[in-house]
């Protein structure tokens, strides 16, 4: 065999092994490549027993964490009593705190949302600082719906865009329609359109979007990986 052929064969083997199955239950799965790529980036993790459980549901908290790490939004210091229904025992508190402080969680995703601004003043009555206490329920352990995942994907992505990266996203396809478009929440619809226009999330074979359907771990990995590829990462 010629040296050039040997080198070419080695390159092929390396490219294939770069996305080799890292979990016991993803070998041959339709989302294997996406799952492996995000695992290599440290964005997703397995279940501790070597499995990934690709068809399991993704919770709101899990998807928030994955998206924040994908677009490099840092977590914040968790403030007890100021971060909705989380407690110090909830692992996702710092991520939710950061997202709340940056206005990345829509009020429609929070049951009983209320924000109270606490202004700190000096002896002269002058404002020297302020903090916001958020109350209500985020329900981080609830499975995230398709419209919520679409919103969170595009909201967090757009928050991090700059003059160079914003041009990498295509504009909304105005001809895009879903059979059940009236069932998509008004607050999520622009994000659904934008995500679908950029090939990050697709509709169903029957032309519907099924906004209230839950998102699997495999689907979440595919959405996030498609976004990163769209942004050139």
């Amino acid at each position: 065999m010629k040296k050039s052929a040997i080198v070419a064969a080695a390159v092929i083997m390396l490219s294939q092994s770069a996305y080799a199955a890292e979990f016991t239950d993803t070998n041959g799965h339709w989302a294997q490549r996406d799952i492996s790529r995000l695992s290599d980036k440290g964005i997703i993790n397995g279940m501790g027993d070597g499995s990934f459980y690709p068809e399991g549901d993704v919770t709101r908290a899990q998807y928030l964490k994955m998206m924040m790490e994908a677009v490099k939004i840092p977590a914040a210091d968790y403030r007890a009593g100021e971060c909705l229904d989380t407690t110090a025992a909830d692992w996702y508190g710092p991520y939710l705190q950061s997202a709340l402080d940056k206005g990345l969680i829509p009020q429609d995703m929070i049951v009983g949302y209320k924000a109270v601004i606490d202004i700190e003043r000096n002896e002269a009555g002058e404002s020297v600082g302020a903090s916001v206490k958020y109350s209500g329920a985020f329900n981080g352990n609830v499975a995230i719906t398709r419209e919520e995942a679409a919103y969170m994907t595009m909201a967090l992505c757009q928050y991090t865009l700059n003059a160079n990266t914003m041009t990498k996203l295509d504009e909304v396809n105005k001809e895009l329609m879903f059979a059940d478009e009236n069932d998509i929440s008004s607050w999520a619809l622009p994000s659904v359109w934008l995500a679908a226009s950029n090939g990050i999330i697709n509709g169903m074979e029957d032309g519907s979007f099924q906004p209230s359907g839950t998102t699997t771990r495999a689907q979440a990995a595919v959405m996030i990986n498609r976004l990163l590829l769209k942004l050139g990462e």
Side-chain angles (χ1 to χ4, degrees):
M1 182 181 291
K2 294 182 179 180
K3 183 177 181 180
S4 58
I6 295 175
V7 172
V11 170
I12 292 174
M13 291 178 64
L14 285 172
S15 62
Q16 290 176 337
S17 63
Y19 298 105
E22 298 176 5
F23 303 105
T24 58
D25 55 353
T26 58
N27 189 26
H29 191 278
W30 63 271
Q32 177 185 352
R33 185 180 179 87
D34 302 89
I35 293 169
S36 295
R37 187 168 187 266
L38 293 191
S39 177
D40 289 343
K41 289 178 172 291
I43 294 172
I44 60 174
N45 300 307
M47 305 301 289
D49 60 355
S51 66
F52 181 73
Y53 195 31
E55 300 309 315
D57 287 337
V58 173
T59 68
R60 287 174 158 193
Q62 290 169 341
Y63 198 76
L64 175 64
K65 174 183 180 292
M66 289 189 290
M67 268 305 306
M68 288 180 67
E69 293 187 345
V71 297
K72 300 178 177 60
I73 296 177
D77 291 334
Y78 169 76
R79 303 192 298 274
E82 302 180 22
C83 191
L84 302 179
D85 54 341
T86 60
T87 68
D90 294 315
W91 61 266
Y92 61 90
Y95 296 95
L96 180 58
Q97 188 77 71
S98 177
L100 286 170
D101 290 344
K102 295 175 175 59
L104 299 176
I105 305 295
Q107 295 181 21
D108 300 84
M109 284 182 64
I110 303 171
V111 179
Y113 174 85
K114 187 177 181 180
V116 177
I117 301 176
D118 184 13
I119 300 177
E120 182 182 353
R121 300 182 183 278
N122 58 21
E123 295 180 354
E126 300 170 328
S127 174
V128 294
S131 62
V132 182
K133 294 183 178 180
Y134 305 96
S135 60
F138 177 63
N139 293 320
N141 293 321
V142 171
I144 194 168
T145 66
R146 285 170 52 78
E147 67 174 10
E148 290 170 347
Y151 179 93
M152 202 170 286
T153 301
M154 303 318 299
L156 271 63
C157 168
Q158 290 174 297
Y159 178 81
T160 62
L161 294 179
N162 55 42
N164 294 323
T165 56
M166 66 185 301
T167 59
K168 295 183 178 181
L169 288 182
D170 299 327
E171 295 183 357
V172 170
N173 178 0
K174 296 182 179 180
E175 297 181 359
L176 181 66
M177 292 185 65
F178 295 106
D180 56 351
E181 191 167 296
N182 291 335
D183 295 331
I184 303 174
S185 301
S186 58
W187 57 267
L189 188 56
S191 294
V192 170
W193 277 338
L194 185 59
S197 298
N198 281 275
I200 294 167
I201 190 171
N202 299 320
M204 303 302 178
E205 292 183 358
D206 62 358
S208 67
F209 182 74
Q210 297 184 13
S212 298
T214 55
T215 304
T216 66
R217 289 168 58 81
Q219 291 169 341
V222 170
M223 287 176 60
I224 295 174
N225 192 40
R226 285 176 178 173
L227 175 66
L228 293 180
L229 291 173
K230 188 73 177 180
L231 297 177
E233 298 182 10

